[in-house]
């Protein structure tokens, strides 16, 4: 038997580490947590300082038995779970189960699974950090108190299988609030005037800016007419030329949140998929002759900090591949928000020299895509800024001013490797050139084109947008974003349409009840404060029991009130107007986990069910009596029609939206593009900016 036993969470991690440590070490996996609160009861002793009652997780008995036997035979046991709250808690639970002194130097942490990092970590083992453990316990107890008190009420009053939680309920609220904003949005008219201009034979564009040196907004067509009436002929004079050199800095390396956002934008990955693939890259990939290697650092982090070793390696790579002028002269300090836990580094490759294309053959398609994204972002973060030559030119005719902007990339810098994505599809103006213009030059307008516009409602949340918003609001932690988004969809509170979150009828019902009886759970500031309090526990500033007690005092009163006063919500069976093809009874709409479906009203004698003609929550614009439903053609293509068909023959290949066209009053539809959707009028030429 080996002298030392090392316990990690996963077999993949165990396999990688064992190769680095040598024959004296045996590495085994706990397969995640071995103890947790029981599923069948609250498991929190409220009367005795909220003490959790932990039990061995069902199915983990044999694993724990194997670990106990191995621990008895070893001279020393090292607990090497992940370097965060959850990992510290796993280590503490293992220590409790295996009778290991938590004050002894039994805990080993590393930020990356490489030979050097692993060997260094075993040179300086430490005691278990109880502040970290308490922070995790506080979170677990808090979530249990919320979930096990509210969920049974929702089961009783609405339907079985529902749940509530600090983070998930706020996420649903954000989605519903955004939907209400869109529904109640009143578009405002505004105009622009764009001009095509000529200097000699060279053409360029400029936009109306103002009159008599003052910026002017064009709100109506009358405003446009007044401006154009003021223009005399087609000769304009260049009154001002401003040339500047602008530097654009690279984005910092990835945090968990920014990785999820960028993987959604550039790779079309869901948050859950991003974290799963990142876990694989972290735990180790077999690279043939090189053996199994962890390719990235730990993927749950709020920090953009990078070790000096990693920086110098990146600089060496950049100088070798691109030249010294592309290497960052001095590293910019990363600014931390008050919410950031800086325990470990940003997400980066474990070696800058491990180029994605060099290891492509050893990776799956998804692993390659994500590793390439992480590697490029990290390398770019250590490169020189891009340098742009910008030019702004003012043109004037009888006091009417147009302005032209242009720029030219003078030095690509980091842009040679990577450019950060955005949520908005804005025209790339980074390389729009202007002719050589000087003050006093005479310019001629070819065409001045007035154009009517309307302000647009805010876009629905994509996964990337929602993660970004939760992070900005201080809601949740890197580890919670992916499971939260997954939970609210599995519960049937929201659905994804065109990669955007839309609240369901069930989600709105639950949200209204939560707003009435548990407003503090949905309060963004309250939830953010709770996250801050959990951070304070981690830093040893406050006792975790005190935080839970303060919360529970008012919360328990709301629970009693809800139990007594919340009325039962009957989601009544709604007749669908079609007969069951098996028994001839009426079919009714039923609410399931994933929304509505059709079921026979003669249940349980007849158990026939079928997919619904999915309602989209919109009255038919043609007959104004029926509802618009989603249908499928014989070729399985989705289209939209009135549920009163054949009495009403309304049909549309594009999905109608609730808002009317601000230009002509006809219905607006969502037209699918290659990337995203565009809202446009079904009748006139009105179009809104595409949404990714």
């Amino acid at each position: 038997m080996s002298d030392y036993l090392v316990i990690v969470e996963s077999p993949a991690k165990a396999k990688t580490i064992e190769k680095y440590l040598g024959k004296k070490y045996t590495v085994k996996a706990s397969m995640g947590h071995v103890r947790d609160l029981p599923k069948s009861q609250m498991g929190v002793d409220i009367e005795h300082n909220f003490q959790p009652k932990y039990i061995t997780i069902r199915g983990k008995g044999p694993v724990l038995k194997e670990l106990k036997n191995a621990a008895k035979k070893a001279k020393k046991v090292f607990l090497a779970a992940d370097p965060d709250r959850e990992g510290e808690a796993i280590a503490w639970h293992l220590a409790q189960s295996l009778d290991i002194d938590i004050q002894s130097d039994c805990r080993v942490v590393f930020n990356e699974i490489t030979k050097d990092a692993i060997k260094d970590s075993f040179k300086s083992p430490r005691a278990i950090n109880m502040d970290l453990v308490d922070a995790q316990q506080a979170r677990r107890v808090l979530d249990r108190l919320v979930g096990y008190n509210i969920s049974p009420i929702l089961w009783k009053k609405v339907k079985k299988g529902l749940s509530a939680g600090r983070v998930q309920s706020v996420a649903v609220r954000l989605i519903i609030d955004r939907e209400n904003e869109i529904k109640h949005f009143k578009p405002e008219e505004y105009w622009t005037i764009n001009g095509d201009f000529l200097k000699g034979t060279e053409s360029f564009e400029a936009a109306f800016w103002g009159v008599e040196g003052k910026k002017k907004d064009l709100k109506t067509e009358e405003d446009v007419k007044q401006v154009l009436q003021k223009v005399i002929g087609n000769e304009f004079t260049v009154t001002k030329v401003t040339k500047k050199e602008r530097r654009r800095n690279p984005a910092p390396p990835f945090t968990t949140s920014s990785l999820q956002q960028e993987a959604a934008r550039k790779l079309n990955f869901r948050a859950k998929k991003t974290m799963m693939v990142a876990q694989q890259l972290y735990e180790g990939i077999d690279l043939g002759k090189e053996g199994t290697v962890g390719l990235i650092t730990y993927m749950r982090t709020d920090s953009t900090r990078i070790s000096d070793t990693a920086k110098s390696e990146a600089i060496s790579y950049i100088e070798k591949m691109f030249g010294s002028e592309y290497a960052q002269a001095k590293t910019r300090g990363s600014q931390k928000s008050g919410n950031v836990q800086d325990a470990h580094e940003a997400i980066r490759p474990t070696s800058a020299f491990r180029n994605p294309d060099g290891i492509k053959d050893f990776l799956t398609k998804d692993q390659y895509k994500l590793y390439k994204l992480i590697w490029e972002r990290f390398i770019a973060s250590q490169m020189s800024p891009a340098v742009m030559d910008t030019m702004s030119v003012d043109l004037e005719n009888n006091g009417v001013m147009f302005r032209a902007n242009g720029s030219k990339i003078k030095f690509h810098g980091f842009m040679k490797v990577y450019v950060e994505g955005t949520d908005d599809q804005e025209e790339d103006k980074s390389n729009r050139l202007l002719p050589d213009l000087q003050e006093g030059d005479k310019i001629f307008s070819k065409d001045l084109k007035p154009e009517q516009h309307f302000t647009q409602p805010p876009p629905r949340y994509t996964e990337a947008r929602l993660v970004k918003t939760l992070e900005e609001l201080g809601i949740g932690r890197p580890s919670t974003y992916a499971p939260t988004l997954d939970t609210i969809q599995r519960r049937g509170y929201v659905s994804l349409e065109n990669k955007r979150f839309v609240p369901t009828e069930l989600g709105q019902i639950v949200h209204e009840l939560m707003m009435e009886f548990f407003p503090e759970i949905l309060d963004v500031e309250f939830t953010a404060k709770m996250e801050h309090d959990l951070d304070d526990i981690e830093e040893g500033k406050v006792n975790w029991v005190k935080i839970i007690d303060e919360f529970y005092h008012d919360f328990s009163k709301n629970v009693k009130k809800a139990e007594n006063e919340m009325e039962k919500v009957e989601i009544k069976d709604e007749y669908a107007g079609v007969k069951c093809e098996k028994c001839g009874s009426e079919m009714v709409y039923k609410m399931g986990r994933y929304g509505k479906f059709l079921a026979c009203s003669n249940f349980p004698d007849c158990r026939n069910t079928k997919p619904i003609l999915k309602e989209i929550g919109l009255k038919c614009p043609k007959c104004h009596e029926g509802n618009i439903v989603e249908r499928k053609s014989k070729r399985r293509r989705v289209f939209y029609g009135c549920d009163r068909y054949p009495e009403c023959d309304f049909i549309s290949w594009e999905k109608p939206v609730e808002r009317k066209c601000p230009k002509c009053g006809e219905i607006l539809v969502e037209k699918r593009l290659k990337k995203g959707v565009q809202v446009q009028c079904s009748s006139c030429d009105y179009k809104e900016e595409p949404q990714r």
Side-chain angles (χ1 to χ4, degrees):
M1 188 70 190
S2 306
D3 292 346
Y4 306 106
L5 172 67
V6 181
I7 304 175
V8 297
E9 298 100 322
S10 76
K13 193 173 172 183
K15 185 183 171 186
T16 310
I17 289 169
E18 198 163 45
K19 289 184 177 181
Y20 297 144
L21 290 174
K23 292 178 181 178
K24 288 187 176 182
Y25 292 83
T26 297
V27 186
K28 290 189 176 290
S30 69
M31 313 300 287
H33 277 277
V34 292
R35 297 198 313 172
D36 197 9
L37 299 173
K39 287 187 175 180
S40 57
Q41 54 182 276
M42 176 77 73
V44 177
D45 191 344
I46 294 164
E47 302 300 321
H48 295 88
N49 290 331
F50 304 95
Q51 284 306 303
K53 300 173 184 176
Y54 295 113
I55 61 165
T56 302
I57 296 169
R58 183 176 289 183
K60 288 295 180 75
V63 175
L64 203 51
K65 188 179 177 182
E66 187 188 335
L67 292 175
K68 281 179 179 176
N69 290 335
K72 284 175 186 174
K73 296 172 184 175
K75 288 181 183 176
K76 189 167 179 64
V77 179
F78 292 104
L79 306 169
D82 288 341
D84 56 10
R85 286 175 186 165
E86 211 65 34
E88 205 71 19
I90 290 174
W92 178 74
H93 283 297
L94 284 166
Q96 296 285 312
S97 302
L98 304 178
D99 293 323
I100 299 168
D101 181 5
I102 62 171
Q103 300 296 327
S104 67
D105 54 350
C106 61
R107 180 80 168 112
V108 173
V109 290
F110 35 80
N111 194 46
E112 58 186 81
I113 303 176
T114 57
K115 192 171 184 177
D116 289 344
I118 299 298
K119 291 206 165 185
D120 283 348
S121 66
F122 277 85
K123 290 175 186 173
S124 51
R126 59 166 173 80
I128 288 173
N129 184 331
M130 284 309 297
D131 290 335
L132 274 174
V133 175
D134 285 347
Q136 191 275 344
Q137 287 198 106
R139 179 182 292 278
R140 193 76 187 90
V141 168
L142 193 59
D143 289 344
R144 178 56 63 100
L145 289 171
V146 172
Y148 270 60
N149 276 296
I150 299 179
S151 298
I153 299 173
L154 295 176
W155 286 38
K156 196 164 109 182
K157 305 290 186 178
V158 186
K159 70 184 286 283
K160 286 189 175 180
L162 302 182
S163 68
R166 292 179 312 108
V167 181
Q168 64 161 288
S169 297
V170 173
V172 173
R173 177 185 181 168
L174 291 172
I175 293 164
I176 289 174
D177 285 352
R178 176 59 54 89
E179 196 67 19
N180 291 333
E181 279 183 70
I182 295 168
K183 280 181 182 176
H184 299 122
F185 180 79
K186 298 278 191 290
E188 290 182 8
E189 182 185 8
Y190 70 98
W191 288 71
T192 57
I193 309 173
N194 290 311
D196 293 329
F197 291 85
L198 281 173
K199 185 197 177 184
T201 58
E202 291 184 89
S203 64
F204 64 97
E205 290 179 13
F208 169 74
W209 185 83
V211 177
E212 306 296 346
K214 291 181 181 177
K215 187 162 176 51
K216 182 176 173 63
D217 294 327
L218 303 172
K219 294 181 178 179
T220 64
E221 191 173 9
E222 186 56 37
D223 290 347
V224 173
K225 285 177 181 174
Q226 287 177 11
V227 168
L228 293 178
Q229 283 170 4
K230 205 170 165 57
V231 175
I232 302 168
N234 67 344
E235 186 179 278
F236 283 71
T237 304
V238 177
T239 55
K240 189 178 178 182
V241 177
T242 308
K243 293 182 179 179
K244 287 182 182 176
E245 187 180 88
R246 185 169 66 85
R247 290 175 175 265
R248 181 175 169 184
N249 289 318
F254 283 127
T255 62
T256 305
S257 164
S258 59
L259 176 63
Q260 289 175 3
Q261 291 170 52
E262 196 74 336
R265 294 187 198 108
K266 291 197 168 185
L267 309 179
N268 207 19
F269 280 12
R270 303 278 298 276
K272 188 178 178 181
K273 181 178 180 176
T274 299
M275 296 311 288
M276 182 187 74
V277 176
Q279 185 89 34
Q280 295 164 2
L281 296 173
Y282 166 69
E283 291 186 342
I285 303 290
D286 188 346
L287 299 182
K289 289 180 181 178
E290 199 177 343
T292 305
V293 178
L295 294 181
I296 64 169
T297 54
Y298 190 53
M299 63 286 160
R300 292 186 180 91
T301 176
D302 291 346
S303 174
T304 56
R305 183 178 58 82
I306 293 293
S307 71
D308 291 339
T309 308
K311 285 175 191 171
S312 60
E313 194 184 53
I315 297 297
S316 299
Y317 177 87
I318 294 160
E319 287 178 345
K320 182 181 176 183
M321 299 306 293
F322 303 103
S324 57
E325 69 273 21
Y326 282 89
Q328 204 175 94
K330 61 177 183 177
T331 306
R332 298 180 310 278
S334 63
Q335 293 221 326
K336 294 196 297 176
S337 66
N339 201 36
V340 169
Q341 297 170 336
D342 203 29
H344 25 80
E345 290 185 59
I347 305 167
R348 61 164 177 81
T350 53
S351 172
F353 285 94
R354 202 170 281 116
N355 188 298
D357 290 332
I359 57 172
K360 189 176 181 179
D361 293 345
F362 302 103
L363 304 175
T364 65
K365 193 175 173 183
D366 288 341
Q367 286 171 346
Y368 171 73
K369 284 180 180 176
L370 194 65
Y371 178 71
K372 187 170 185 283
L373 190 71
I374 293 166
W375 184 88
E376 287 178 347
R377 173 85 162 217
F378 169 65
I379 294 296
S381 76
Q382 304 306 305
M383 292 177 73
S384 307
V387 182
M388 328 282 283
D389 276 340
T390 64
M391 188 174 175
S392 176
V393 180
D394 289 348
L395 315 172
E396 192 172 326
N397 174 309
N398 194 31
V400 176
M401 285 180 61
F402 279 69
R403 181 166 286 175
N405 293 299
S407 63
K408 180 184 178 185
I409 299 174
K410 190 176 180 180
F411 175 66
H412 278 84
F414 74 91
M415 292 172 74
K416 216 162 178 73
V417 173
Y418 174 91
V419 179
E420 188 179 18
T422 64
D423 287 321
D424 305 306
Q425 287 187 316
E426 293 179 358
E427 184 187 354
D428 184 13
K429 298 175 183 176
S430 60
N431 214 16
R432 182 189 283 180
L433 292 174
L434 293 177
D436 183 24
L437 296 165
Q438 307 292 330
E439 287 184 19
D441 283 355
K442 302 297 179 188
I443 308 296
F444 296 92
S445 61
K446 279 200 301 184
D447 191 19
L448 299 180
K449 297 170 288 192
E451 196 171 344
Q452 185 186 31
H453 307 272
F454 293 89
T455 54
Q456 294 175 26
R460 285 176 174 149
Y461 285 107
T462 58
E463 280 202 349
R465 271 201 185 95
L466 190 56
V467 165
K468 188 178 182 181
T469 304
L470 288 169
E471 184 187 38
E472 286 172 349
L473 295 170
I475 308 294
R477 276 284 164 261
S479 56
T480 65
Y481 296 139
T484 295
L485 301 189
D486 187 52
T487 299
I488 61 177
Q489 290 173 78
R490 282 191 294 104
R491 295 283 184 267
Y493 296 156
V494 300
S495 61
L496 270 180
E497 291 184 13
N498 292 328
K499 299 175 186 172
R500 284 164 176 76
F501 285 113
V502 180
T504 62
E505 182 187 352
L506 180 63
Q508 288 173 328
I509 290 169
V510 171
H511 175 259
E512 283 171 20
L513 293 172
M514 291 287 293
M515 281 296 284
E516 184 177 352
F517 293 97
F518 302 100
E520 74 281 4
I521 301 295
L522 298 179
D523 185 80
V524 170
E525 287 183 16
F526 178 85
T527 309
K529 183 184 175 299
M530 286 302 301
E531 289 292 353
H532 185 73
D533 289 342
L534 291 168
D535 291 347
D536 284 347
I537 296 167
E538 181 172 324
E539 292 169 20
K541 293 178 181 176
V542 64
N543 182 278
W544 75 270
V545 176
K546 181 175 178 287
I547 296 296
I548 302 295
D549 190 53
E550 285 174 0
F551 165 79
Y552 195 71
H553 183 265
D554 290 331
F555 176 71
S556 58
K557 293 176 185 174
N558 289 343
V559 170
K560 285 176 184 172
K561 186 183 175 187
E563 284 173 338
N564 297 326
E565 296 180 18
M566 190 184 287
E567 293 182 15
K568 189 171 174 62
V569 179
E570 281 193 49
I571 303 175
K572 292 179 182 176
D573 291 343
E574 185 184 344
Y575 286 96
V578 292
K579 301 282 186 185
C580 173
E581 62 267 29
K582 291 189 177 179
C583 73
S585 300
E586 288 285 329
M587 297 291 280
V588 293
Y589 295 117
K590 290 280 188 182
M591 180 67 80
R593 178 180 281 186
Y594 300 106
K596 287 184 175 179
F597 63 94
L598 285 176
C600 182
S601 60
N602 194 26
F603 178 88
D605 296 331
C606 178
R607 294 178 177 269
N608 183 29
T609 62
K610 57 185 184 180
I612 200 171
L613 292 174
K614 186 178 167 187
E615 288 190 15
I616 66 169
L618 193 65
K619 282 284 181 190
C620 176
K622 189 170 182 178
C623 70
H624 306 292
E625 290 180 34
N627 295 307
I628 299 295
V629 293
E630 186 180 291
R631 299 175 182 269
K632 283 187 179 173
S633 69
K634 289 179 181 178
R635 295 187 177 181
R636 309 298 294 166
R637 185 179 168 190
V638 171
F639 69 97
Y640 301 88
C642 182
D643 63 359
R644 291 180 65 243
Y645 178 85
E647 285 84 1
C648 176
D649 62 354
F650 173 81
I651 188 171
S652 171
W653 288 110
E654 277 84 37
K655 183 182 177 181
V657 302
E658 195 164 353
R659 294 180 291 120
K660 296 283 178 68
C661 175
K663 203 168 179 179
C664 70
E666 292 295 319
I667 61 165
L668 295 175
V669 296
E670 288 183 353
K671 185 175 176 65
R672 288 195 176 209
L673 307 174
K674 279 187 178 179
K675 289 186 177 180
V677 293
Q678 182 174 44
V679 174
Q680 62 182 50
C681 184
S682 58
S683 181
C684 73
D685 60 355
Y686 174 78
K687 287 182 181 179
E688 295 181 0
E689 289 295 317
Q691 295 178 11
R692 280 186 175 172

